[in-house]
Amino acid sequence: MAEEYQEDGIKVNILQINGAKMSKQTINKVKPWWRPIAMVQNLFFPPAAYMANNYYEICTSDEFLQTSGKLINDKLEIMQPPPNEQLGLYKQLKQIIGSTVYPFYAENLEVKEQLWELCKKLTDHKL
């Protein structure tokens, strides 16, 4: 789908964010019973500056100059499509929280088309 705008010089890449570190102010906005979970998540998620640098690299580096329509993980690696075979629950969860293979639901053509149409609708006035 990204190829539709590639000839106009528009690149479409996705950085999969499995989590983002929340500020204390953001955690305080979370419902009280979710705050302990948010605090524990912060122990494992990278700081905002790390993720911001990834976005900067994707947008400015020569490495991604010709890359369009790809999912990119937090290590700046192009992720692979999911395997075709049916997966057990453990492997499905590993896809969701892992970073080398993108989740199986990302291959659903109907969902892709709906998302692409929404993106076009939201950006038509910009083109």
Side-chain angles (χ1 to χ4, degrees), residues 14 52 57 62 66-67 72 74 76 86 89 95 103 106 114 117 125 127:
I14 304 297
E57 286 296 318
D62 290 340
Q66 300 299 320
T67 304
I72 301 168
D74 66 314
L76 296 175
Q86 291 284 11
L89 181 60
Q95 282 188 339
Q114 289 175 352
E117 290 304 315
H125 67 284
L127 298 175

Side-chain angles (χ1 to χ4, degrees), residues 22-75:
M22 291 185 262
S23 68
K24 289 180 182 178
Q25 294 87 356
T26 302
I27 289 176
N28 286 334
K29 293 178 184 179
V30 173
K31 295 190 185 242
W33 57 85
W34 287 108
R35 287 183 193 153
I37 295 170
M39 287 187 259
V40 169
Q41 285 179 331
N42 268 358
L43 298 173
F44 300 100
F45 293 151
Y50 174 81
M51 299 310 293
N53 185 63
N54 283 350
Y55 283 113
Y56 179 81
E57 286 296 318
I58 290 169
C59 294
T60 62
S61 74
D62 290 340
E63 180 180 352
F64 297 105
L65 187 62
Q66 300 299 320
T67 304
S68 185
K70 302 293 182 184
L71 289 146
I72 301 168
N73 67 18
D74 66 314
K75 297 170 190 76

